[in-house]
Amino acid sequence: MLAELIDGARIARGVREDVARDVAALRARGVTPGLTVVLVGDDPASAVYVRSKGKACGEAGMASETIRLPATTTQEELLRHVDRLNADPKVHGILVQMPLPKHIDPDTVLRRLNPAKDVDGFHPINVGKLLIGEKDGFAPCTPAGVQEMLVRSGVDTRGMECVVIGRSNIVGKPMAALLMQDRKGANATVTICHRHTRDLAAHTRRADLVVAAAGRPGVLTRDMVKPGAVVIDVGITRVNDPTAKNGYRLVGDVDFAGVRQVASHITPVPGGVGPMTIAMLLRNTVKAASALEPA
Ligand SMILES: NC(=O)c1ccc[n+]([C@@H]2O[C@H](COP(=O)([O-])OP(=O)(O)OC[C@H]3O[C@@H](n4cnc5c(N)ncnc54)[C@H](OP(=O)(O)O)[C@@H]3O)[C@@H](O)[C@H]2O)c1
């Protein structure tokens, strides 16, 4: 039997509707949640992400602003912008779009953000809160989106063997930290794999849930998946495709056609995890606004 598709676009719409309701409630007491995105340089992919974040904010009734800075901006100049946004009461969420130009140290910039406005969840304070299970921090949007999708799809992760492929700070590590917590949508037994993992297939074959976040198309194939497992594909890679309108298409890490034959649930690429990321960014911004402006 073919695996059931987890429709990220549909689930993300549900999250955004909930966010819009929360925004309306905040606006009714005079607070308009506001997200400011800082974009340095002219990376075309970043420009696309930033535009869709702004559009999503508008649709949810939130305020959004994009500060576009030239690639020649110095680190000191960028930090001055961050300081100003940290102090601006109308700004509840700040997101500095990565990657930054080579002469700017991303860690220095992330550490300068007010953790209470760090809606991307990358400041060490928020990373620590996630790990120790404190609920008032911000979890990074992509892994938080994966968890939300699992919950809304009725996948009960409690007691599951879960394998996360990838250990980046933005996806793999926070994904593992979320799944291991003692709470709803978690309580899994988690293994993290990376390029030095000796036998990846030996780990994935015993997993009830595999989250693939390696950025390597084909890293998970049918023979590596236990029948009935849940498979979440975070990977997004552009591959050349002369038949596609733009000359390329997006593929995930999972051999979708093969794995679909054995898994119980699977996310497609595109239309799986991708739409959840922005939905969770909106949710984090509303959470920031509620905390910064208590009723
Ligand atoms: N859907 C979304 O909204 C969204 C958001 C963020 C990222 N993504 C996508 O998710 C993917 C991962 O992103 P990222 O930022 O986490 O990437 P990253 O920083 O490049 O990390 C990739 C991780 O995968 C591991 N890895 C690579 N090849 C492997 C292999 N053959 N076997 C086992 N592990 C392997 C690497 O191991 P080492 O640590 O040993 O190098 C690394 O930990 C990318 O395709 C990215 O585009 C999607």
Side-chain angles (χ1 to χ4, degrees), residues 142 165-168 170 194-195 213-216 219 234-236 274 277:
T142 300
I165 309 175
R167 58 174 166 186
S168 73
I170 65 167
H194 44 74
R195 281 180 306 112
R216 299 279 183 278
V219 82
V234 181
I236 301 179
T277 299

Side-chain angles (χ1 to χ4, degrees), residues 13-186:
R13 269 197 302 279
V15 173
R16 284 163 64 159
E17 280 161 20
D18 292 351
V19 166
R21 258 194 304 279
D22 292 346
V23 170
L26 278 163
R27 288 177 66 142
R29 58 180 178 86
V31 177
T32 301
L35 173 70
T36 296
V37 179
V38 184
L39 176 61
V40 187
D42 38 34
D43 178 56
S46 295
V48 172
Y49 293 142
V50 166
R51 261 199 307 278
S52 44
K53 285 165 187 171
K55 183 163 169 272
C57 281
E59 285 167 7
M62 295 163 56
S64 79
E65 184 197 11
T66 302
I67 298 177
R68 290 186 170 78
L69 302 174
T72 50
T73 304
T74 65
Q75 180 165 303
E76 273 316 305
E77 284 167 338
L78 176 56
L79 292 175
R80 276 200 294 277
H81 281 282
V82 170
D83 289 343
R84 183 179 58 75
L85 296 170
N86 281 342
D88 184 343
K90 289 194 298 301
V91 175
H92 303 106
I94 307 169
L95 186 157
V96 179
Q97 183 68 42
M98 301 290 161
L100 289 167
K102 294 261 178 305
H103 62 277
I104 300 178
D105 173 36
D107 289 338
T108 303
V109 177
L110 289 177
R111 280 168 170 72
R112 190 72 156 247
L113 292 173
N114 176 353
K117 297 187 177 187
D118 166 40
V119 287
D120 246 350
F122 298 147
H123 188 289
I125 291 274
N126 285 314
V127 176
K129 284 186 173 185
L130 171 62
L131 194 61
I132 64 179
E134 260 182 40
K135 291 186 177 164
D136 65 346
F138 299 102
C141 302
T142 300
V146 170
Q147 184 180 46
E148 187 68 24
M149 239 170 160
L150 291 168
V151 170
R152 291 189 184 223
S153 305
V155 173
D156 183 2
T157 52
R158 188 168 39 145
M160 275 188 169
E161 289 284 339
C162 170
V163 168
V164 179
I165 309 175
R167 58 174 166 186
S168 73
N169 289 336
I170 65 167
V171 189
K173 282 182 202 159
M175 185 77 255
L178 282 166
L179 287 168
M180 72 172 70
Q181 297 302 321
D182 183 0
R183 73 170 63 139
K184 187 167 175 261

